[in-house]
Amino acid sequence: MASIRLENVVKRYANGHVAVQPTSLAVADGEFLVLVGPSGCGKSTTLRMIAGLEEVTGGRIFIGDRCVNVLSPGKRDVAMVFQNYALYPHMTVRDNLSFGLRMRRTPKGDIQKRVGDAAEILSIESLLDRRPAELSGGQRQRVAVGRAIVRQPAAFLFDEPLSNLDARLRVQMRKELAQLHHRFRTTTVYVTHDQVEAMTLGERIAVMHEGVLQQVATPLELYDRPANRFVATFMGSPAMNLLGGRVVGKDTRTSHAVFQCGTIRYPLATTTEAVEPAASRTLGFRPEHLTLDDRHLPLAIVSVGVVEQLGSETLVYFQLEGQPCVARLDGQTAVRRGDRLSLHLPARRWFLFDDCEPFRLVARGKRGSEEEEK
């Protein structure tokens, strides 16, 4: 195993397009780090530079103590799992698993043991004599993961490996990948555009947008303290609600600064950051924090637009001062299109963002106990 370190790594193509802006990132030995972001943000390009499949324009990449910029992919001691599995169609599963080892002239006895161990770990012993065309998508992905495992590399690199699977298989494979990492503790960099995959798999998550690394933190840190508006809205489903407005003078009853958007006036209760008046600010609040419980601070009375009854939860879509918002309510909530709802927001469940680049987090409600938030 080995750590991975990027020092001011840049990727610029011949046409002048900069796919990855100067990026510095450290992945600890044995860590599972997820690179997440929308399509075209540079996450797969970053992974391919680590693997040696893309040339680095500037900066340095270290795997362990070695700078690998000029090393070919085969000499970097990493194993990559691709989105499209990349299995050899004319070979059996056994031969696919052993191919890389045979190319490295690994002793035959070691090959048999490694292939057998990987097949047992991934529960594909019964598939060893089949060819990829005879396998389901989930089985092919297990074989692709097995081919990486038998290598016993210093690091695993995963490029959106679950995106071709159906929803049920994705959940199953997420669990299996997490168990594999717990077992082997091999340094892993995993690329996805799916926030749920990122939150459930990553010990830390690196969020990218337009080639720029936005924030690196644990899943809960990203959720509770996003660095900027992009991170706040990208992490979480449904996305965080954003309400453009301004910060005005203090509330006479609580002495807190007040956020105002049209007829909405919401006191910004915080004991951590001073909230100063400003002509332009954006208030953020997550759909799951909106409630019908009148023990919390009132936010607005809204007219329900669309209702999605999902069983375990009910998603309610509405407009606040002409801006689209959504609330995630209990699945047993009886609500229909056109109903009027009085929505409340706990006193410490808000985020305040600057309205100028880079749309940084200015302040947030301090987290406390449920009693403190009433």
Side-chain angles (χ1 to χ4, degrees), residues 92-142:
T92 64
V93 168
R94 190 189 311 275
D95 289 339
N96 266 284
L97 292 175
S98 63
F99 180 76
L101 299 178
R102 287 186 277 120
M103 291 298 98
R104 289 170 176 76
R105 302 186 183 279
T106 304
K108 189 172 182 179
D110 288 349
I111 292 176
Q112 291 177 342
K113 184 178 187 309
R114 290 196 200 180
V115 169
D117 289 347
E120 180 183 356
I121 290 167
L122 295 165
S123 300
I124 55 174
E125 301 101 316
S126 63
L127 308 178
L128 289 175
D129 295 319
R130 297 188 192 179
R131 286 183 168 78
E134 303 171 277
L135 306 179
S136 68
Q139 290 169 335
R140 292 180 194 178
Q141 194 54 273
R142 282 190 178 87

Short mmCIF file of all heavy atoms in Angstrom, two decimals, residues 92-142:
data_model
loop_
_atom_site.label_atom_id
_atom_site.label_comp_id
_atom_site.label_asym_id
_atom_site.label_seq_id
_atom_site.Cartn_x
_atom_site.Cartn_y
_atom_site.Cartn_z
N THR A 92 -12.06 -16.64 -20.66
CA THR A 92 -12.91 -17.00 -19.53
C THR A 92 -12.66 -16.04 -18.37
O THR A 92 -11.69 -15.27 -18.37
CB THR A 92 -12.63 -18.43 -19.07
OG1 THR A 92 -11.29 -18.50 -18.57
CG2 THR A 92 -12.82 -19.44 -20.19
N VAL A 93 -13.54 -16.12 -17.39
CA VAL A 93 -13.35 -15.31 -16.18
C VAL A 93 -12.00 -15.64 -15.55
O VAL A 93 -11.26 -14.74 -15.13
CB VAL A 93 -14.50 -15.56 -15.18
CG1 VAL A 93 -14.17 -14.96 -13.82
CG2 VAL A 93 -15.81 -14.98 -15.72
N ARG A 94 -11.67 -16.91 -15.48
CA ARG A 94 -10.39 -17.32 -14.89
C ARG A 94 -9.22 -16.66 -15.61
O ARG A 94 -8.29 -16.14 -14.98
CB ARG A 94 -10.26 -18.84 -14.94
CG ARG A 94 -9.09 -19.40 -14.13
CD ARG A 94 -8.90 -20.90 -14.42
NE ARG A 94 -10.15 -21.63 -14.31
CZ ARG A 94 -10.65 -22.09 -13.18
NH1 ARG A 94 -9.99 -21.89 -12.05
NH2 ARG A 94 -11.80 -22.77 -13.17
N ASP A 95 -9.28 -16.68 -16.93
CA ASP A 95 -8.19 -16.10 -17.72
C ASP A 95 -8.16 -14.58 -17.59
O ASP A 95 -7.08 -13.97 -17.61
CB ASP A 95 -8.31 -16.51 -19.18
CG ASP A 95 -8.00 -17.99 -19.40
OD1 ASP A 95 -7.32 -18.58 -18.53
OD2 ASP A 95 -8.46 -18.55 -20.42
N ASN A 96 -9.34 -13.95 -17.52
CA ASN A 96 -9.38 -12.50 -17.31
C ASN A 96 -8.72 -12.13 -15.98
O ASN A 96 -7.98 -11.15 -15.90
CB ASN A 96 -10.83 -12.01 -17.32
CG ASN A 96 -11.28 -11.51 -18.69
OD1 ASN A 96 -10.92 -10.43 -19.12
ND2 ASN A 96 -12.04 -12.35 -19.38
N LEU A 97 -9.00 -12.92 -14.93
CA LEU A 97 -8.43 -12.62 -13.63
C LEU A 97 -6.91 -12.82 -13.61
O LEU A 97 -6.18 -12.07 -12.96
CB LEU A 97 -9.07 -13.52 -12.56
CG LEU A 97 -10.55 -13.28 -12.25
CD1 LEU A 97 -11.06 -14.32 -11.27
CD2 LEU A 97 -10.78 -11.88 -11.71
N SER A 98 -6.45 -13.81 -14.34
CA SER A 98 -5.03 -14.17 -14.26
C SER A 98 -4.17 -13.48 -15.31
O SER A 98 -2.93 -13.53 -15.22
CB SER A 98 -4.87 -15.68 -14.41
OG SER A 98 -5.32 -16.11 -15.69
N PHE A 99 -4.78 -12.80 -16.28
CA PHE A 99 -4.01 -12.29 -17.42
C PHE A 99 -2.88 -11.36 -16.98
O PHE A 99 -1.72 -11.51 -17.42
CB PHE A 99 -4.95 -11.56 -18.38
CG PHE A 99 -4.24 -10.99 -19.59
CD1 PHE A 99 -3.85 -11.81 -20.62
CD2 PHE A 99 -3.95 -9.64 -19.66
CE1 PHE A 99 -3.18 -11.30 -21.73
CE2 PHE A 99 -3.28 -9.11 -20.76
CZ PHE A 99 -2.89 -9.96 -21.79
N GLY A 100 -3.18 -10.39 -16.14
CA GLY A 100 -2.15 -9.45 -15.71
C GLY A 100 -1.02 -10.12 -14.98
O GLY A 100 0.16 -9.74 -15.13
N LEU A 101 -1.34 -11.13 -14.19
CA LEU A 101 -0.29 -11.85 -13.45
C LEU A 101 0.59 -12.65 -14.39
O LEU A 101 1.81 -12.73 -14.22
CB LEU A 101 -0.94 -12.77 -12.41
CG LEU A 101 -1.80 -12.09 -11.34
CD1 LEU A 101 -2.41 -13.13 -10.41
CD2 LEU A 101 -0.98 -11.08 -10.54
N ARG A 102 -0.04 -13.25 -15.41
CA ARG A 102 0.75 -14.01 -16.38
C ARG A 102 1.70 -13.11 -17.16
O ARG A 102 2.83 -13.49 -17.47
CB ARG A 102 -0.18 -14.77 -17.33
CG ARG A 102 -0.86 -15.97 -16.65
CD ARG A 102 -1.68 -16.81 -17.61
NE ARG A 102 -3.01 -16.24 -17.82
CZ ARG A 102 -3.47 -15.85 -18.99
NH1 ARG A 102 -2.71 -15.90 -20.07
NH2 ARG A 102 -4.70 -15.36 -19.10
N MET A 103 1.24 -11.90 -17.48
CA MET A 103 2.09 -10.95 -18.19
C MET A 103 3.29 -10.53 -17.34
O MET A 103 4.34 -10.19 -17.88
CB MET A 103 1.28 -9.72 -18.60
CG MET A 103 0.23 -9.96 -19.67
SD MET A 103 0.95 -10.51 -21.26
CE MET A 103 0.71 -12.30 -21.15
N ARG A 104 3.12 -10.59 -16.03
CA ARG A 104 4.22 -10.23 -15.12
C ARG A 104 5.04 -11.45 -14.72
O ARG A 104 5.89 -11.37 -13.84
CB ARG A 104 3.65 -9.55 -13.86
CG ARG A 104 3.11 -8.15 -14.12
CD ARG A 104 2.33 -7.61 -12.93
NE ARG A 104 1.90 -6.24 -13.14
CZ ARG A 104 0.89 -5.88 -13.92
NH1 ARG A 104 0.19 -6.81 -14.57
NH2 ARG A 104 0.57 -4.63 -14.08
N ARG A 105 4.75 -12.58 -15.37
CA ARG A 105 5.47 -13.84 -15.13
C ARG A 105 5.43 -14.25 -13.65
O ARG A 105 6.41 -14.71 -13.07
CB ARG A 105 6.92 -13.72 -15.61
CG ARG A 105 7.04 -13.38 -17.09
CD ARG A 105 8.48 -13.42 -17.57
NE ARG A 105 8.59 -13.03 -18.96
CZ ARG A 105 8.35 -13.83 -20.00
NH1 ARG A 105 7.97 -15.08 -19.78
NH2 ARG A 105 8.48 -13.40 -21.24
N THR A 106 4.26 -14.06 -13.04
CA THR A 106 4.05 -14.52 -11.67
C THR A 106 4.04 -16.05 -11.67
O THR A 106 3.48 -16.67 -12.58
CB THR A 106 2.69 -13.99 -11.14
OG1 THR A 106 2.68 -12.57 -11.25
CG2 THR A 106 2.48 -14.38 -9.68
N PRO A 107 4.65 -16.68 -10.66
CA PRO A 107 4.65 -18.15 -10.60
C PRO A 107 3.25 -18.73 -10.68
O PRO A 107 2.30 -18.17 -10.13
CB PRO A 107 5.31 -18.44 -9.25
CG PRO A 107 6.18 -17.26 -9.00
CD PRO A 107 5.45 -16.08 -9.59
N LYS A 108 3.10 -19.85 -11.37
CA LYS A 108 1.80 -20.44 -11.62
C LYS A 108 1.04 -20.74 -10.34
O LYS A 108 -0.18 -20.52 -10.25
CB LYS A 108 1.98 -21.71 -12.44
CG LYS A 108 0.68 -22.29 -12.95
CD LYS A 108 0.93 -23.45 -13.91
CE LYS A 108 -0.38 -23.99 -14.46
NZ LYS A 108 -0.14 -25.12 -15.42
N GLY A 109 1.74 -21.23 -9.33
CA GLY A 109 1.09 -21.53 -8.06
C GLY A 109 0.51 -20.30 -7.41
O GLY A 109 -0.61 -20.34 -6.85
N ASP A 110 1.25 -19.18 -7.46
CA ASP A 110 0.75 -17.92 -6.90
C ASP A 110 -0.48 -17.43 -7.67
O ASP A 110 -1.42 -16.91 -7.07
CB ASP A 110 1.85 -16.85 -6.96
CG ASP A 110 2.96 -17.09 -5.95
OD1 ASP A 110 2.76 -17.97 -5.07
OD2 ASP A 110 3.99 -16.41 -6.03
N ILE A 111 -0.44 -17.60 -9.00
CA ILE A 111 -1.59 -17.16 -9.81
C ILE A 111 -2.84 -17.93 -9.40
O ILE A 111 -3.91 -17.35 -9.17
CB ILE A 111 -1.31 -17.37 -11.31
CG1 ILE A 111 -0.21 -16.42 -11.78
CG2 ILE A 111 -2.58 -17.15 -12.13
CD1 ILE A 111 0.19 -16.62 -13.23
N GLN A 112 -2.73 -19.23 -9.29
CA GLN A 112 -3.89 -20.06 -8.93
C GLN A 112 -4.45 -19.66 -7.56
O GLN A 112 -5.67 -19.58 -7.38
CB GLN A 112 -3.50 -21.54 -8.95
CG GLN A 112 -3.21 -22.08 -10.34
CD GLN A 112 -2.74 -23.53 -10.31
OE1 GLN A 112 -2.31 -24.04 -9.27
NE2 GLN A 112 -2.84 -24.20 -11.46
N LYS A 113 -3.54 -19.41 -6.61
CA LYS A 113 -4.00 -19.05 -5.27
C LYS A 113 -4.69 -17.69 -5.27
O LYS A 113 -5.76 -17.51 -4.69
CB LYS A 113 -2.83 -19.02 -4.29
CG LYS A 113 -3.26 -18.76 -2.84
CD LYS A 113 -2.08 -18.79 -1.89
CE LYS A 113 -2.56 -18.70 -0.45
NZ LYS A 113 -3.49 -17.58 -0.20
N ARG A 114 -4.09 -16.72 -5.94
CA ARG A 114 -4.68 -15.36 -5.96
C ARG A 114 -6.03 -15.37 -6.67
O ARG A 114 -6.98 -14.74 -6.21
CB ARG A 114 -3.73 -14.39 -6.66
CG ARG A 114 -2.47 -14.07 -5.88
CD ARG A 114 -1.82 -12.83 -6.48
NE ARG A 114 -0.42 -12.70 -6.15
CZ ARG A 114 0.36 -11.70 -6.55
NH1 ARG A 114 -0.16 -10.77 -7.36
NH2 ARG A 114 1.62 -11.63 -6.21
N VAL A 115 -6.13 -16.07 -7.79
CA VAL A 115 -7.40 -16.14 -8.52
C VAL A 115 -8.45 -16.83 -7.66
O VAL A 115 -9.60 -16.38 -7.57
CB VAL A 115 -7.21 -16.86 -9.87
CG1 VAL A 115 -8.56 -17.18 -10.50
CG2 VAL A 115 -6.38 -16.02 -10.82
N GLY A 116 -8.07 -17.92 -7.02
CA GLY A 116 -9.01 -18.63 -6.17
C GLY A 116 -9.48 -17.79 -5.00
O GLY A 116 -10.68 -17.76 -4.66
N ASP A 117 -8.53 -17.06 -4.37
CA ASP A 117 -8.90 -16.20 -3.23
C ASP A 117 -9.85 -15.09 -3.68
O ASP A 117 -10.84 -14.80 -3.00
CB ASP A 117 -7.64 -15.59 -2.61
CG ASP A 117 -6.80 -16.62 -1.86
OD1 ASP A 117 -7.33 -17.73 -1.60
OD2 ASP A 117 -5.64 -16.32 -1.53
N ALA A 118 -9.53 -14.44 -4.81
CA ALA A 118 -10.38 -13.35 -5.30
C ALA A 118 -11.77 -13.86 -5.66
O ALA A 118 -12.78 -13.22 -5.36
CB ALA A 118 -9.74 -12.68 -6.51
N ALA A 119 -11.84 -15.02 -6.30
CA ALA A 119 -13.13 -15.60 -6.68
C ALA A 119 -13.97 -15.90 -5.44
O ALA A 119 -15.19 -15.68 -5.43
CB ALA A 119 -12.92 -16.86 -7.51
N GLU A 120 -13.32 -16.40 -4.39
CA GLU A 120 -14.05 -16.71 -3.15
C GLU A 120 -14.55 -15.43 -2.49
O GLU A 120 -15.71 -15.35 -2.06
CB GLU A 120 -13.15 -17.48 -2.21
CG GLU A 120 -13.82 -17.85 -0.89
CD GLU A 120 -12.89 -18.57 0.06
OE1 GLU A 120 -11.73 -18.84 -0.32
OE2 GLU A 120 -13.32 -18.85 1.20
N ILE A 121 -13.69 -14.42 -2.42
CA ILE A 121 -14.06 -13.15 -1.79
C ILE A 121 -15.27 -12.52 -2.49
O ILE A 121 -16.18 -12.00 -1.86
CB ILE A 121 -12.86 -12.18 -1.80
CG1 ILE A 121 -11.77 -12.67 -0.85
CG2 ILE A 121 -13.30 -10.76 -1.44
CD1 ILE A 121 -10.45 -11.96 -1.03
N LEU A 122 -15.29 -12.62 -3.83
CA LEU A 122 -16.34 -11.97 -4.62
C LEU A 122 -17.49 -12.90 -4.98
O LEU A 122 -18.40 -12.51 -5.71
CB LEU A 122 -15.72 -11.40 -5.90
CG LEU A 122 -14.71 -10.26 -5.68
CD1 LEU A 122 -13.89 -10.02 -6.93
CD2 LEU A 122 -15.41 -8.99 -5.24
N SER A 123 -17.43 -14.14 -4.48
CA SER A 123 -18.50 -15.13 -4.73
C SER A 123 -18.72 -15.36 -6.22
O SER A 123 -19.86 -15.38 -6.71
CB SER A 123 -19.81 -14.68 -4.07
OG SER A 123 -19.64 -14.54 -2.67
N ILE A 124 -17.61 -15.55 -6.95
CA ILE A 124 -17.73 -15.82 -8.40
C ILE A 124 -17.03 -17.14 -8.75
O ILE A 124 -16.67 -17.36 -9.91
CB ILE A 124 -17.13 -14.66 -9.24
CG1 ILE A 124 -15.67 -14.39 -8.85
CG2 ILE A 124 -17.98 -13.41 -9.11
CD1 ILE A 124 -15.00 -13.36 -9.75
N GLU A 125 -16.88 -18.04 -7.78
CA GLU A 125 -16.22 -19.32 -8.05
C GLU A 125 -16.92 -20.09 -9.17
O GLU A 125 -16.27 -20.73 -10.01
CB GLU A 125 -16.18 -20.21 -6.80
CG GLU A 125 -15.45 -19.60 -5.61
CD GLU A 125 -16.43 -19.04 -4.59
OE1 GLU A 125 -17.39 -18.38 -5.00
OE2 GLU A 125 -16.22 -19.31 -3.40
N SER A 126 -18.27 -20.01 -9.19
CA SER A 126 -19.03 -20.77 -10.18
C SER A 126 -18.96 -20.16 -11.58
O SER A 126 -19.45 -20.75 -12.55
CB SER A 126 -20.49 -20.88 -9.75
OG SER A 126 -21.09 -19.59 -9.69
N LEU A 127 -18.36 -18.98 -11.69
CA LEU A 127 -18.32 -18.28 -12.98
C LEU A 127 -16.97 -18.40 -13.68
O LEU A 127 -16.80 -17.87 -14.78
CB LEU A 127 -18.65 -16.79 -12.78
CG LEU A 127 -19.91 -16.44 -12.00
CD1 LEU A 127 -20.03 -14.93 -11.87
CD2 LEU A 127 -21.14 -17.02 -12.70
N LEU A 128 -16.01 -19.06 -13.07
CA LEU A 128 -14.63 -19.01 -13.56
C LEU A 128 -14.46 -19.53 -14.99
O LEU A 128 -13.54 -19.10 -15.70
CB LEU A 128 -13.72 -19.79 -12.61
CG LEU A 128 -13.47 -19.12 -11.25
CD1 LEU A 128 -12.65 -20.03 -10.34
CD2 LEU A 128 -12.76 -17.78 -11.43
N ASP A 129 -15.33 -20.45 -15.41
CA ASP A 129 -15.17 -21.01 -16.76
C ASP A 129 -16.12 -20.38 -17.78
O ASP A 129 -16.19 -20.83 -18.93
CB ASP A 129 -15.40 -22.53 -16.70
CG ASP A 129 -14.32 -23.23 -15.89
OD1 ASP A 129 -13.14 -22.84 -16.03
OD2 ASP A 129 -14.65 -24.14 -15.10
N ARG A 130 -16.81 -19.33 -17.39
CA ARG A 130 -17.69 -18.62 -18.32
C ARG A 130 -16.93 -17.48 -18.99
O ARG A 130 -15.89 -17.04 -18.51
CB ARG A 130 -18.91 -18.05 -17.61
CG ARG A 130 -19.82 -19.09 -16.99
CD ARG A 130 -21.09 -18.42 -16.50
NE ARG A 130 -21.88 -19.29 -15.65
CZ ARG A 130 -23.02 -18.91 -15.07
NH1 ARG A 130 -23.49 -17.68 -15.26
NH2 ARG A 130 -23.69 -19.76 -14.31
N ARG A 131 -17.51 -16.97 -20.08
CA ARG A 131 -16.97 -15.80 -20.76
C ARG A 131 -17.84 -14.58 -20.43
O ARG A 131 -18.99 -14.72 -20.02
CB ARG A 131 -16.90 -16.03 -22.27
CG ARG A 131 -15.78 -16.99 -22.66
CD ARG A 131 -15.67 -17.18 -24.16
NE ARG A 131 -14.42 -17.86 -24.50
CZ ARG A 131 -14.21 -19.16 -24.38
NH1 ARG A 131 -15.19 -19.94 -23.93
NH2 ARG A 131 -13.04 -19.69 -24.70
N PRO A 132 -17.29 -13.37 -20.59
CA PRO A 132 -18.03 -12.15 -20.20
C PRO A 132 -19.43 -12.06 -20.80
O PRO A 132 -20.36 -11.56 -20.15
CB PRO A 132 -17.12 -11.03 -20.70
CG PRO A 132 -15.75 -11.60 -20.59
CD PRO A 132 -15.90 -13.05 -20.97
N ALA A 133 -19.63 -12.52 -22.05
CA ALA A 133 -20.95 -12.42 -22.69
C ALA A 133 -22.00 -13.24 -21.95
O ALA A 133 -23.20 -13.00 -22.11
CB ALA A 133 -20.86 -12.87 -24.14
N GLU A 134 -21.57 -14.21 -21.15
CA GLU A 134 -22.50 -15.07 -20.42
C GLU A 134 -22.80 -14.54 -19.02
O GLU A 134 -23.49 -15.21 -18.25
CB GLU A 134 -21.92 -16.48 -20.31
CG GLU A 134 -21.60 -17.12 -21.65
CD GLU A 134 -20.84 -18.42 -21.49
OE1 GLU A 134 -19.61 -18.37 -21.33
OE2 GLU A 134 -21.49 -19.48 -21.52
N LEU A 135 -22.29 -13.35 -18.70
CA LEU A 135 -22.44 -12.79 -17.35
C LEU A 135 -23.39 -11.60 -17.35
O LEU A 135 -23.53 -10.89 -18.34
CB LEU A 135 -21.07 -12.34 -16.81
CG LEU A 135 -19.94 -13.36 -16.82
CD1 LEU A 135 -18.67 -12.72 -16.28
CD2 LEU A 135 -20.31 -14.59 -16.00
N SER A 136 -24.01 -11.38 -16.20
CA SER A 136 -24.82 -10.17 -16.01
C SER A 136 -23.90 -8.98 -15.74
O SER A 136 -22.69 -9.15 -15.53
CB SER A 136 -25.77 -10.36 -14.82
OG SER A 136 -25.03 -10.43 -13.61
N GLY A 137 -24.48 -7.78 -15.72
CA GLY A 137 -23.68 -6.59 -15.46
C GLY A 137 -23.01 -6.64 -14.10
O GLY A 137 -21.83 -6.29 -13.95
N GLY A 138 -23.74 -7.07 -13.09
CA GLY A 138 -23.17 -7.16 -11.75
C GLY A 138 -22.05 -8.17 -11.68
O GLY A 138 -21.02 -7.94 -11.02
N GLN A 139 -22.20 -9.31 -12.38
CA GLN A 139 -21.15 -10.33 -12.39
C GLN A 139 -19.90 -9.82 -13.11
O GLN A 139 -18.77 -10.06 -12.67
CB GLN A 139 -21.68 -11.60 -13.05
CG GLN A 139 -22.73 -12.32 -12.21
CD GLN A 139 -23.44 -13.42 -12.98
OE1 GLN A 139 -23.51 -13.39 -14.23
NE2 GLN A 139 -23.99 -14.40 -12.28
N ARG A 140 -20.10 -9.12 -14.22
CA ARG A 140 -18.95 -8.56 -14.93
C ARG A 140 -18.19 -7.57 -14.05
O ARG A 140 -16.95 -7.53 -14.07
CB ARG A 140 -19.41 -7.86 -16.21
CG ARG A 140 -19.96 -8.79 -17.26
CD ARG A 140 -20.40 -8.02 -18.50
NE ARG A 140 -21.23 -8.84 -19.38
CZ ARG A 140 -21.77 -8.41 -20.50
NH1 ARG A 140 -21.56 -7.16 -20.89
NH2 ARG A 140 -22.50 -9.21 -21.24
N GLN A 141 -18.94 -6.77 -13.29
CA GLN A 141 -18.26 -5.80 -12.44
C GLN A 141 -17.47 -6.49 -11.34
O GLN A 141 -16.39 -6.06 -10.97
CB GLN A 141 -19.27 -4.82 -11.84
CG GLN A 141 -18.63 -3.58 -11.23
CD GLN A 141 -17.71 -2.86 -12.19
OE1 GLN A 141 -16.52 -3.18 -12.29
NE2 GLN A 141 -18.25 -1.90 -12.92
N ARG A 142 -18.00 -7.59 -10.81
CA ARG A 142 -17.26 -8.36 -9.82
C ARG A 142 -15.96 -8.90 -10.41
O ARG A 142 -14.92 -8.91 -9.75
CB ARG A 142 -18.11 -9.51 -9.29
CG ARG A 142 -19.15 -9.11 -8.26
CD ARG A 142 -19.76 -10.36 -7.63
NE ARG A 142 -20.71 -9.98 -6.61
CZ ARG A 142 -21.98 -9.71 -6.83
NH1 ARG A 142 -22.44 -9.77 -8.07
NH2 ARG A 142 -22.79 -9.37 -5.85
#
